[in-house]
Amino acid sequence: MAVTIRDVASEANVSATTVSRVFNHTDLVRPETVERVRRIADEMGYQPNATAKSLSHGRTDAIGVVLPAPHGEFFSEVMRGIDEVAQSSHYHLLISSSHYNRDEAEAAMRALSGRVDGLLVMTTHVEADDILQTPRPDVPVVFMNSSNVGPDHDAYDIENREGAYKATKHLIERGYRNIGVITGPRNSLDVQERLSGFRDALSDSGRNPSEAPVIDGDFTRASGYEAGKQILELDPRPDAFFSCNDYMAIGAISAFQEAGITTPGDIAIAGFDDIPSARYASPPLTTVRVPVFDLGRRAAQRLLDRMAGHSEMPIEEATLGSELVIRSST
């Protein structure tokens, strides 16, 4: 049976109010009493109630994070940047996923907003007005790579369109003639912008983007593998593909290899994100490197500044640049 605050109070011969003050407002209790109550609480194995403590302080010492998906190297790198900042400032992280669904994103933010001191949000389906309808509209919010956030919230994005343009232009300059694309979730802002960059590069080279083969995926390696099998059935078969993320590119290469198709000899492929495993793929993957760790780190630091009451800071909207990394797959 858990030790309660009243158990500690009885053993220490003080009131339950005094025990509460020892763990929440030590300035209101004599130092010798604080020392005695804490010693007795430790001996009894008492653990202060975190919820009650947060209500007493008016803060939770926690940051909420809403991501489109709960797994993958891309999101792991985002979380690594966030965690570095949170840990250095002694904040805990509460993480939820929208699964690329607008309703789930809004539900996650409503659920988290009453439990955290600030929110970091990466979702393609949320608008600023949705945040203002949460149970605690005073919770600071910083967006990462999200759409339609409006002028009243800090927002940090990655260079999706330009990155895709660079990758597609590289394939064109390498002499590939029939270039297709593997997409991700069509309701994803990332996919929409990367498709735009892909098509712009084709158009600028005098090609008709509407003639480019389009294979659907969902950002997973398995969907890339299925896309690879579909590519092998196309007639005429494209000689190169741009994949809207690395996972799908690596999956497609696996399908090619199973069929005896070489990369880049038979089909070249370029990805996006430069996840850690991209350089260790076989062959190593040409891809667009985006500073995902910095995205999480900068957004988290900005949120901490807002949580500290720096409301006078101007709203910051920043786009983090991209870099084409050329490896053996092209």
Side-chain angles (χ1 to χ4, degrees), residues 103-124:
D103 292 339
E104 288 192 39
E106 293 178 18
M109 285 183 285
R110 283 194 298 269
L112 287 174
S113 66
R115 306 176 185 178
V116 298
D117 298 325
L119 277 169
L120 291 167
V121 179
M122 179 188 289
T123 175
T124 61

Side-chain angles (χ1 to χ4, degrees), residues 79-139:
M79 286 305 307
R80 191 168 68 88
I82 294 171
D83 184 62
E84 180 180 277
V85 174
Q87 187 177 42
S88 66
S89 299
H90 307 292
Y91 275 91
H92 301 288
L93 299 176
L94 298 181
I95 305 167
S96 187
S97 172
S98 69
H99 302 96
Y100 294 96
N101 181 283
R102 180 191 179 96
D103 292 339
E104 288 192 39
E106 293 178 18
M109 285 183 285
R110 283 194 298 269
L112 287 174
S113 66
R115 306 176 185 178
V116 298
D117 298 325
L119 277 169
L120 291 167
V121 179
M122 179 188 289
T123 175
T124 61
H125 288 293
V126 71
E127 298 178 0
D129 287 347
D130 298 322
I131 295 296
L132 302 179
Q133 297 170 11
T134 59
R136 285 183 57 196
D138 60 310
V139 175

Side-chain angles (χ1 to χ4, degrees), residues 165 168 172 179 197-209 212:
Y165 187 98
T168 309
I172 294 169
I179 304 173
F198 168 78
R199 288 166 175 157
D200 287 349
L202 292 181
S203 180
D204 289 349
S205 70
R207 306 184 188 197
N208 185 351

Side-chain angles (χ1 to χ4, degrees), residues 183-204:
T183 71
R186 290 301 185 96
N187 53 11
S188 162
L189 175 66
D190 288 344
V191 170
Q192 293 170 9
E193 292 188 342
R194 292 172 194 181
L195 275 174
S196 177
F198 168 78
R199 288 166 175 157
D200 287 349
L202 292 181
S203 180
D204 289 349

Side-chain angles (χ1 to χ4, degrees), residues 13 44 66 96 106-107 113 115 124 137 139 151 169 178 185 189 217 227 229 251-252 281 286 298 304 306 310:
N13 197 27
M44 298 180 68
V66 179
S96 187
E106 293 178 18
S113 66
R115 306 176 185 178
T124 61
V139 175
K169 183 180 179 182
N178 186 3
L189 175 66
K229 293 199 293 186
T286 291
R298 288 186 59 177
L304 288 184
R306 293 294 183 194
H310 299 314

